[in-house]
């Protein structure tokens, strides 16, 4: 991975630079998902394109080109991810910690970048646990969700940072609903049965909100892997209740009630 020479620095163009970097990463991931769909099939990954016989089926050639493109685009994503300062990179493996207090800390841009990194990883892990492997998630839409929460929920965020569990759960409920509104998980490029996948994603947003509520209310839980395992298990046991809450006219109140009941006792 290309390293940022300033380990503690910020994006080179401030907030604008971070937003542009998010858009670049989104576009690279879009392209990679397209070529991965083209590559789906039975052609061996070990067969080089140059060794394909001239009589090879066009579809097989296309699949092999797609595989080569996938490798190139994965390298491009690595470079795009390196645009962010090391503490805020979406795939920074040395940190599995999750602290939502940092998402709304004074400082604006860094909180937004931390939010995108953390929620991206949390969403990917939760959706994978629910059976949606390698989901396509747009960081820029996560940024839109953070901006909306920061703009409309400043009082809740301040109360949550001061230890108010009710406020923390309500903020987490708003997050789940804001994600459902912004739709950062892109279904158009992910293939598979559309209705079933959409249902998984919508439920996934409710689980993400629950996981964030757990992180707010249980200071002992900081490892993302532990957060995902415990939250998904509890959410699956209450799947119908969470789904009904997400679609209710008073969705924020219903979700908040569920989170208040569950979050302090998880994972």
């Amino acid at each position: 991975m290309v390293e940022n020479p300033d380990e503690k620095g910020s994006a080179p163009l401030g907030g604008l630079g971070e937003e542009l970097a998010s858009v670049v990463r989104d576009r690279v991931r879009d392209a990679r998902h397209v070529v991965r769909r083209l590559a789906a099939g039975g052609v061996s990954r070990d067969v080089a394109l140059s060794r394909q016989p001239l009589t090879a089926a066009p579809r097989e050639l296309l699949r092999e080109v797609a595989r080569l493109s996938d490798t190139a685009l994965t390298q491009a994503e690595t470079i795009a991810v390196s645009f962010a300062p090391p503490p805020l990179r979406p795939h920074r493996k040395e940190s599995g910690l999750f602290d939502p207090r940092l998402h709304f800390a004074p400082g604006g841009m860094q909180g937004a970048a931390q939010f995108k990194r953390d929620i991206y990883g949390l969403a990917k892990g939760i959706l994978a646990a629910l059976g949606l492997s390698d989901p396509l998630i747009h960081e820029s839409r996560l940024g839109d969700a953070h901006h909306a929460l920061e703009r409309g929920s400043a009082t809740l965020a301040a109360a949550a940072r001061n230890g108010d569990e009710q406020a923390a759960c309500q903020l987490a409920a708003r997050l789940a609903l804001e994600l459902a509104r912004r739709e950062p998980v892109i279904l158009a490029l992910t293939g598979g049965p559309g209705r079933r996948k959409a249902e998984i994603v919508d439920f996934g947003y409710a689980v993400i909100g629950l996981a964030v509520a757990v992180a707010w209310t249980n200071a002992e839980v900081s490892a993302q892997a532990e957060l995902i395992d415990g939250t998904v298990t509890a959410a699956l046991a209450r799947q119908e209740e969470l789904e009904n809450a997400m679609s209710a006219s008073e969705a924020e109140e219903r979700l908040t009630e569920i989170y208040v009941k569950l979050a302090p006792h998880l994972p």
Side-chain angles (χ1 to χ4, degrees), residues 1-149:
M1 177 181 287
V2 177
E3 290 295 331
N4 188 316
D6 180 3
E7 288 290 314
K8 297 181 180 179
S10 59
L13 297 177
L16 177 61
E18 169 57 26
E19 291 306 312
L20 288 174
S22 291
V23 171
V24 169
R25 291 191 289 266
D26 287 345
R27 298 292 81 78
V28 171
R29 289 168 183 147
D30 286 346
R32 187 175 63 184
H33 268 74
V34 169
V35 299
R36 283 183 174 176
R37 290 184 65 195
L38 292 174
V43 180
S44 171
R45 190 176 289 270
D46 297 327
V47 178
L49 179 61
S50 60
R51 295 183 181 179
Q52 289 281 356
L54 294 177
T55 57
R59 179 174 296 179
E60 292 182 351
L61 288 171
L62 182 59
R63 285 173 177 163
E64 192 58 34
V65 169
R67 288 198 177 99
L68 295 174
S69 299
D70 186 3
T71 300
L73 287 166
T74 297
Q75 293 171 347
E77 184 192 11
T78 299
I79 295 171
V81 165
S82 75
F83 291 170
L88 304 178
R89 291 177 186 165
H91 302 303
R92 190 169 184 246
K93 294 180 180 178
E94 62 268 29
S95 176
L97 304 182
F98 187 95
D99 185 357
R101 291 159 186 79
L102 300 177
H103 301 163
F104 300 98
M109 185 198 77
Q110 184 160 341
Q114 189 89 28
F115 175 92
K116 286 189 289 186
R117 187 203 77 168
D118 288 350
I119 300 300
Y120 179 94
L122 185 66
K124 196 163 188 176
I126 285 174
L127 291 171
L130 294 176
L132 187 59
S133 60
D134 195 26
L136 176 59
I137 304 169
H138 271 190
E139 281 186 55
S140 55
R141 296 191 186 187
L142 293 177
D144 292 340
H146 179 269
H147 179 65
L149 291 170

Side-chain angles (χ1 to χ4, degrees), residues 190-212:
T190 55
R195 182 179 178 85
R196 173 60 180 155
K197 191 160 291 187
E199 290 171 349
I200 293 172
V201 170
D202 285 345
F203 175 59
Y205 293 143
V207 183
I208 292 167
L210 178 58
V212 172

Side-chain angles (χ1 to χ4, degrees), residues 198-241:
E199 290 171 349
I200 293 172
V201 170
D202 285 345
F203 175 59
Y205 293 143
V207 183
I208 292 167
L210 178 58
V212 172
V214 172
W216 274 112
T217 59
N218 191 340
E220 296 181 359
V221 180
S222 59
Q224 193 170 106
E226 180 185 3
L227 190 61
I228 290 171
D229 289 345
T231 303
V232 169
T233 299
L236 286 172
R238 296 163 177 82
Q239 183 169 352
E240 185 176 356
E241 185 180 4

